[in-house]
């Protein structure tokens, strides 16, 4: 069953990967074989009490990541490393991938050891530093999830009743699930501590220190802030904690101030450019900003054209002509010419209907009467309009 299901899938996953990915996978399998020896586990895993003086077991920082005690953890590590070889390594390159692997695991070993040192100080249990053994690729699994989040943050994984589940939600979800499994005695306590440490170390490296092909460092994108790993409701509270830490690191020189993005449009944050093989993430962000700028310019042009189409076309108005002629006559009369009086045109009234027709057809009486009254009303309105137009000319004649 396993030969027909698991091994062919792993072979297809790791078939076209680089030598570095295959080396990590083979080393993990060898470490799982050595995990049956208690002495090997003690020598190869990180023990916080032995990592500190006076023993200084420094080599365990470089060997602990290849040691797994459970076979299902080995399978998770192989799948994660294989996905890393398929998604991340083609974009970054083999050397950058190995550097990312080394920095993340060294940081996880040191940060997790400090966590247990702090925990032993609170509980006043010094034996805890020698009973805990830190091992496995839990920190690297977190680092891969952070890198995938940086490259494809809005890639849809599944639709849930609570909303869309994207790559951005994976790191925090794994941390919460691992803590719940640890509380139910289904997982060792080192796993959530290592995963959380790997999440933070890998994000710090990608955010501030990773060198790109164009000479820049880090990733100043707004969608890659530390608070972006949390739900929108919690992001303001996370920012209250993260911003003072960032300001303190700036003062002591641990990190450099990030240069602002070339174009940050808050109204177009949903536009994203998915990753392509062989394209640098920094170049992807630059292309994203160019696409946002082109889209905003196109929207502004379409808005201006629609406004111009809504405006009525200009055409000559009769009122303006009358005003022009009256002004012309007024100016001519002031020059000493003959007075001119505009006479309204006479419109003949329709002949009244004969009485015989009214008597023979009583149904037409209201209609004809209405027509006659409406014609009389129109004549009165035309005469009033003519008097208004001729008013200035008549006044000029009287003054002259």
């Amino acid at each position: 069953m396993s030969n027909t299901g698991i091994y062919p899938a792993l072979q297809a996953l790791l078939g076209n990967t680089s030598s570095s990915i295959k080396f990590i996978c083979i080393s993990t399998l060898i470490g799982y074989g050595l995990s049956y020896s208690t002495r090997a586990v003690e020598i190869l895993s990180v023990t916080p009490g032995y990592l500190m003086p006076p023993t200084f077991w420094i080599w365990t920082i470089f060997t602990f990541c290849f040691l797994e005690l459970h076979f299902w953890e080995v399978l998770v590590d192989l799948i994660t490393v294989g996905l890393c070889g398929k998604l991340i390594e083609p974009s970054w390159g083999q050397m950058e991938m190995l550097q990312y692997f080394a920095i993340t695991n060294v940081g996880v070993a040191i940060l997790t050891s400090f966590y247990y040192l702090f925990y032993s100080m609170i509980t006043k249990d010094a034996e805890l530093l020698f009973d805990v053994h830190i091992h496995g690729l839990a920190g690297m699994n977190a680092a891969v999830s952070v890198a995938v989040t940086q490259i494809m943050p809005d890639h849809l994984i599944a639709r849930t009743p609570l909303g869309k589940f994207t790559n951005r939600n994976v790191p925090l979800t794994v941390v919460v699930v691992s803590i719940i499994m640890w509380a139910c005695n289904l997982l060792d306590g080192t796993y959530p501590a290592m995963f959380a440490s790997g999440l933070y170390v890998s994000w710090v490296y990608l955010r501030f220190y990773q060198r790109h092909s164009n000479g820049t460092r880090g990733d100043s994108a707004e969608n890659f802030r530390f608070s972006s790993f949390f739900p929108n409701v919690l992001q303001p509270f996370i920012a209250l904690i993260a911003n003072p830490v960032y300001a303190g690191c700036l003062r002591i020189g641990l990190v450099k101030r990030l240069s602002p993005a070339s174009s940050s449009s808050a109204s177009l944050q949903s536009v994203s450019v998915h990753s392509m093989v062989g394209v640098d993430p920094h170049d992807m962000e630059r292309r994203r900003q160019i696409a946002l700028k082109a889209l905003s310019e196109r929207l502004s042009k379409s808005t201006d054209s629609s406004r111009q189409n809504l405006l009525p076309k200009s055409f000559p108005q009769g009122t303006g002509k009358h005003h022009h002629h009256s002004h012309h006559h007024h100016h001519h009369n002031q020059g000493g010419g003959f007075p001119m009086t505009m006479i309204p045109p006479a419109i003949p009234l329709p002949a009244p209907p004969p009485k015989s027709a009214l008597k023979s057809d009583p149904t037409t009486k209201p209609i004809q009467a209405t027509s006659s009254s409406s014609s009389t009303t129109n004549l009165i309105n035309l005469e009033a309009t003519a008097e208004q137009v001729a008013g200035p000319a008549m006044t000029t004649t009287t003054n002259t």
Side-chain angles (χ1 to χ4, degrees):
M1 183 71 177
S2 60
N3 292 332
T4 59
I6 297 177
Y7 293 112
L10 291 177
Q11 185 178 3
L13 181 63
L14 304 175
N16 297 326
T17 55
S18 64
S19 58
S20 60
I21 298 297
K22 293 178 181 178
F23 171 77
I24 295 173
C25 295
I26 294 174
S27 301
T28 303
L29 292 174
I30 295 175
Y32 174 70
L34 295 175
S35 64
Y36 290 94
S37 172
T38 306
R39 183 60 179 170
V41 172
E42 185 179 355
I43 294 176
L44 296 179
S45 62
V46 172
T47 305
Y50 294 139
L51 186 62
M52 296 182 296
T55 53
F56 286 114
W57 286 13
I58 302 298
W59 70 86
T60 58
I61 295 178
F62 305 99
T63 59
F64 82 100
C65 56
F66 302 111
L67 185 66
E68 291 286 8
L69 302 183
H70 305 285
F71 185 70
W72 69 267
E73 294 177 342
V74 175
L75 292 180
V76 172
D77 295 343
L78 295 179
I79 293 174
T80 304
V81 174
L83 291 176
C84 177
K86 296 290 186 180
L87 298 177
I88 302 175
E89 189 178 31
S91 178
W92 289 4
Q94 185 174 355
M95 294 305 298
E96 176 63 26
M97 187 65 241
L98 288 176
Q99 182 178 353
Y100 186 61
F101 178 84
I103 291 175
T104 299
N105 285 291
V106 170
V108 167
I110 296 175
L111 197 60
T112 308
S113 298
F114 273 104
Y115 164 74
Y116 278 103
L117 175 62
F118 181 73
Y119 184 75
S120 65
M121 293 173 61
I122 295 177
T123 59
K124 297 180 180 180
D125 186 7
E127 295 181 357
L128 179 65
L129 298 176
F130 300 92
D131 294 338
V132 172
H133 301 288
I134 302 171
H135 55 80
L137 285 175
M140 187 60 194
N141 297 338
V144 172
S145 66
V146 171
V148 173
T149 301
Q150 182 194 31
I151 298 174
M152 299 181 295
D154 298 323
H155 178 70
L156 181 63
I157 298 176
R159 295 182 182 273
T160 63
L162 300 178
K164 297 180 180 179
F165 187 78
T166 62
N167 288 336
R168 192 190 306 274
N169 308 120
V170 171
L172 183 63
T173 303
V174 176
V175 171
V176 174
V177 171
S178 61
I179 293 175
I180 294 175
M181 294 179 66
W182 166 73
C184 298
N185 293 326
L186 299 176
L187 197 64
D188 295 335
T190 57
Y191 195 93
M194 292 174 62
F195 194 93
S197 300
L199 191 156
Y200 187 74
V201 171
S202 60
W203 175 81
V204 169
Y205 173 75
L206 296 178
R207 181 71 168 176
F208 300 103
Y209 297 105
Q210 187 184 34
R211 185 181 293 275
H212 301 283
S213 58
N214 57 359
T216 60
R217 284 183 177 271
D219 186 356
S220 60
E222 289 294 325
N223 58 359
F224 195 58
R225 297 174 299 173
F226 186 73
S227 59
S228 64
F229 294 102
F230 295 83
N232 296 332
V233 180
L234 300 177
Q235 287 185 9
F237 302 99
I238 300 300
L240 292 177
I241 302 174
N243 291 338
V245 175
Y246 171 65
C249 293
L250 282 177
R251 288 186 177 182
I252 62 179
L254 286 180
V255 296
K256 294 182 180 180
R257 186 176 299 276
L258 293 173
S259 58
S262 57
S263 174
S264 59
S265 177
S267 60
L268 299 175
Q269 289 297 327
S270 60
V271 180
S272 62
V273 180
H274 294 286
S275 66
M276 297 177 289
V277 177
V279 179
D280 190 80
H282 187 79
D283 296 335
M284 290 173 54
E285 180 64 19
R286 179 178 58 82
R287 293 180 184 181
R288 175 178 176 273
Q289 300 298 337
I290 293 174
L292 290 176
K293 184 177 180 180
L295 180 59
S296 61
E297 290 177 357
R298 186 172 298 178
L299 289 176
S300 63
K301 289 181 181 180
S302 62
T303 305
D304 295 338
S305 61
S306 62
R307 289 180 179 176
Q308 292 178 359
N309 294 331
L310 292 176
L311 291 176
K313 297 182 179 180
S314 59
F315 57 90
Q317 301 292 336
T319 306
K321 288 183 177 180
H322 289 299
H323 178 72
H324 174 73
H325 286 296
S326 63
H327 178 73
H328 175 73
H329 294 317
H330 177 71
H331 178 74
H332 181 72
N333 291 336
Q334 286 181 351
F338 293 98
M340 297 181 62
T341 305
M342 295 183 64
I343 301 174
I347 300 176
L349 295 175
K355 296 182 179 180
S356 60
L358 295 175
K359 293 179 180 180
S360 62
D361 191 3
T363 57
T364 60
K365 181 177 179 180
I367 299 175
Q368 293 177 353
T370 304
S371 175
S372 176
S373 61
S374 62
S375 300
T376 306
T377 304
N378 293 334
L379 179 61
I380 293 173
N381 292 335
L382 289 175
E383 289 179 352
T385 305
E387 289 177 359
Q388 292 178 358
V389 172
M394 296 176 64
T395 305
T396 305
T397 304
T398 306
N399 293 334
T400 305

